[in-house]
Amino acid sequence: MRHFILIASLLLATLAQAKSPEERLARLFDSLRTCEIDSVKDELNLEIYNVLGEKLKDPASFKESFDQLPNLGKVYSDDKKIRIYTWSFPYADRCYGYGGFIQTTLKDKVVTTPLLISNEAYKPNQQGKIAANNWYGSLYYNIFLVKNKREKYYIALGWSGHNAASDFKIMETINIDGCGNASFGKMVFNKKGKNDSRIILEYSSEAKIALNYDAASKRIIFDHLSPIEPGYQDLRVYYGPDFTYDAYKLNKGIWYLEENIDARNSR
């Protein structure tokens, strides 16, 4: 244990010599990527939270490119009102750690919400609300606004490395309150009469699946997942794409499941 603490202390002391927050973050992310000791990775991840959190207090950061940080995921919503930053790193057991922030713009300020994992990353339930301080961990790559009369919310599409055997992709709802604070979960996905707050697509870590939003048709289109053999029914570690496609289509603020769609012109 003392050996690990010494390594972490020396590493963080070296990183502290960086001249700017961007340079320090670049070094932190490089160290997080190359480090092989889980406990040191946790220390590095915490320091990324501290340095990036301070940086994001500056309203000007909302428009910064952060091009010097290729390991930091950065995505704007389609209305340019919110921006999500996420990152991940593998542990020795092939599970993943994550970090993230959500920035939201109000009339006179930018509000930054840290996305915090209370213990370890997990696969969330498809129902229920999730606070930003009980985040499950994901890399979001698309965010778009949904409006229905006076109501509005966002949907984020993301990927998570669940464990050594399976990954999952997620359709997540994001709510922004009047103060700009973010939370997750809204019952807007309807599958055969059952409503869910989010949709989880779990599949074998050996597979790759598509999950994308087609704005023209207002559909979220994704690979239909099936077991590689009939005997593996409900064992998600053996699921993968079967070359058919499903979608959730928007109708008056609710997303309804459509199965076996023609996705040739929408992917």
Side-chain angles (χ1 to χ4, degrees), residues 12-30:
L12 291 175
T14 301
L15 293 168
Q17 298 174 8
K19 295 181 179 179
S20 67
E22 292 84 355
E23 183 181 349
R24 191 174 184 187
L25 283 166
R27 293 185 183 183
L28 283 165
F29 276 114
D30 284 343

Side-chain angles (χ1 to χ4, degrees), residues 33-170:
R33 178 176 54 85
T34 59
C35 179
E36 297 181 355
I37 302 172
D38 287 352
S39 59
V40 177
K41 288 183 178 184
D42 289 335
E43 292 288 338
L44 291 166
N45 192 45
L46 180 59
E47 189 65 9
I48 289 172
Y49 266 107
N50 292 335
V51 178
L52 184 57
E54 283 297 315
K55 176 67 178 176
L56 297 182
K57 288 180 180 179
D58 180 2
S61 65
F62 187 83
K63 295 183 179 180
E64 285 194 33
S65 66
F66 293 102
D67 287 340
Q68 70 275 38
L69 302 176
N71 295 313
L72 175 65
K74 309 161 284 283
V75 59
Y76 286 105
S77 59
D78 56 353
D79 65 350
K80 298 297 189 289
K81 296 295 185 181
I82 71 173
R83 191 183 193 188
I84 300 184
Y85 307 81
T86 52
W87 65 92
S88 69
F89 57 95
Y91 286 116
D93 62 1
R94 294 178 60 193
C95 291
Y96 283 81
Y98 297 88
F101 290 90
I102 296 181
Q103 280 185 314
T104 62
T105 58
L106 299 180
K107 290 183 178 179
D108 57 346
K109 63 180 179 178
V110 174
V111 178
T112 301
T113 304
L115 301 176
L116 303 174
I117 296 174
S118 58
N119 186 17
E120 61 183 18
Y122 64 96
K123 185 180 75 172
N125 294 324
Q126 293 200 161
Q127 296 185 343
K129 294 183 178 180
I130 296 175
N133 63 359
N134 188 34
W135 187 47
Y136 44 84
S138 185
L139 300 179
Y140 301 116
Y141 56 85
N142 193 359
I143 318 163
F144 53 93
L145 176 66
V146 182
K147 288 184 177 181
N148 180 42
K149 297 180 180 179
R150 295 184 178 180
E151 179 185 52
K152 69 176 185 179
Y153 59 91
Y154 292 88
I155 288 182
L157 307 181
W159 170 92
S160 295
H162 180 38
N163 54 42
S166 70
D167 299 335
F168 66 84
K169 286 198 171 182
I170 187 167

